[in-house]
Amino acid sequence: MNAYCTIAIRAANLAGDFIATAFNQRDRVIARKKDLNDYVTNVDKQAEELIIDSIKSAYPDHSFLGEESGLKEGKDKETVWVIDPLDGTRNFIDGNPHFSISIAVKHKGKTLAAVVFDPMRDEMFSASNGNGAQLNQTRIRVADEKKLENSILATGFPFRAKENTDTYLKYFSTLLPLCSDMRRAGSAALDLAYLAAGRVNAFWEFGLSDWDTAAGALIVKEAGGLVGDVKGNPFTAKSKSIMAANPYVFKQFMQVVKEL
């Protein structure tokens, strides 16, 4: 296994144990609003600190980009760990056991290794560049569904960026009659991991950040999927939307939305 992947898994397990314990003691959780419909808890912050400290023990000179702490540059500015310590915070606060830890490491912008960990189901999705994707060390592949009409599409509502609502609804109303169904579960990182494991057939959303997608995007690619934005452009950390699917569904999705 890629050494970076091993370190990411170790950090995710450490934070996962902490988050799972906190989930069962939610009366002690302190939550506050960061922004409109956007929440953070003391658990998010403490989990991020655990992850960074764990990785630093192996790579003390690396840099870190965390959802809660922002960019912390180390001596090595070209190697950056991108971290979302609790993707699905609102689910966590409400007692819905669907959330994840997302960790990716990039060198000069290229993602080298990634993990998405669901601590409540003990499911560790992982990938390293060129070595495929795994779920609990068993190889996974995207589903081979060839038709959009038979596909389950995962998505997320633009709850942070309300200015995207009208555009999102145009896509939603166009796509819903043409696919089997839509799913909105509340953790983009897990949506991407589920796509890689063949549990859904596509994922699309507007307005996500690098820490939401960096790990999941690599896992999808290493599982045989394609990742772009909703216009079919290459996906980058600065993309304002994301679309991921197997090659068949990806192509049909793009044909449907090209005029929107």
Side-chain angles (χ1 to χ4, degrees):
M1 185 182 292
N2 179 293
Y4 285 150
C5 206
T6 300
I7 295 301
I9 288 172
R10 183 178 73 183
N13 274 317
L14 184 66
D17 289 343
F18 172 74
I19 290 170
T21 299
F23 183 76
N24 294 316
Q25 300 173 347
R26 287 192 318 284
D27 56 318
R28 302 181 184 180
V29 172
I30 301 169
R32 68 172 180 82
K33 272 190 175 183
K34 289 194 294 185
D35 204 345
L36 180 66
N37 298 320
D38 196 6
Y39 293 84
V40 64
T41 72
N42 55 319
V43 175
D44 298 64
K45 294 181 177 181
Q46 291 169 351
E48 185 166 294
E49 290 171 2
L50 285 172
I51 292 167
I52 291 174
D53 288 345
S54 178
I55 296 170
K56 271 188 173 181
S57 68
Y59 301 108
D61 294 336
H62 284 186
S63 300
F64 296 86
L65 175 63
E67 179 179 13
E68 308 310 333
S69 57
L71 179 63
K72 294 182 175 180
E73 290 190 337
K75 293 180 181 178
D76 183 352
K77 294 180 174 60
E78 294 183 331
T79 307
V80 182
W81 292 80
V82 183
I83 300 162
D84 190 339
L86 184 49
D87 184 47
T89 298
R90 184 57 191 260
N91 283 349
F92 174 86
I93 292 170
D94 292 342
N96 181 350
H98 188 83
F99 43 81
S100 62
I101 297 159
S102 176
I103 304 172
V105 57
K106 296 184 175 187
H107 182 69
K108 295 182 178 180
K110 181 178 181 179
T111 308
L112 303 180
V115 301
V116 173
F117 182 43
D118 178 346
M120 305 309 293
R121 298 177 181 87
D122 195 26
E123 290 190 328
M124 183 74 71
F125 301 86
S126 62
S128 55
N129 191 36
N131 292 314
Q134 296 81 35
L135 168 54
N136 293 343
Q137 300 185 14
T138 298
R139 186 70 179 265
I140 54 175
R141 297 285 295 177
V142 293
D144 62 358
E145 177 56 57
K146 294 179 173 59
K147 294 184 178 181
L148 179 63
E149 65 188 75
N150 297 330
S151 296
I152 299 290
L153 276 58
T155 188
F157 304 137
F159 65 94
R160 292 191 189 100
K162 297 297 187 182
E163 66 273 13
N164 290 329
T165 300
D166 289 344
T167 301
Y168 176 86
L169 290 175
K170 287 179 183 178
Y171 276 77
F172 191 96
S173 61
T174 299
L175 288 161
L176 184 59
L178 302 178
C179 69
S180 178
D181 204 352
M182 293 272 196
R183 299 283 186 268
R184 200 287 186 187
S187 171
L190 273 182
D191 285 334
L192 287 163
Y194 278 22
L195 168 60
R199 297 175 181 177
V200 297
N201 305 111
F203 170 69
W204 62 285
E205 189 167 344
F206 291 92
L208 294 175
S209 299
D210 197 21
W211 47 74
D212 297 309
T213 56
L218 179 66
I219 294 170
V220 169
K221 290 175 184 177
E222 290 296 323
L226 299 179
V227 184
D229 67 12
V230 297
K231 293 296 185 182
N233 301 310
F235 182 74
T236 72
K238 296 181 179 180
S239 294
K240 296 181 179 180
S241 63
I242 185 170
M243 164 58 189
N246 73 31
Y248 303 104
V249 176
F250 190 95
K251 181 179 180 180
Q252 291 168 57
F253 181 101
M254 293 305 166
Q255 289 173 340
V256 167
V257 305
K258 63 183 179 181
E259 302 300 331
L260 296 180

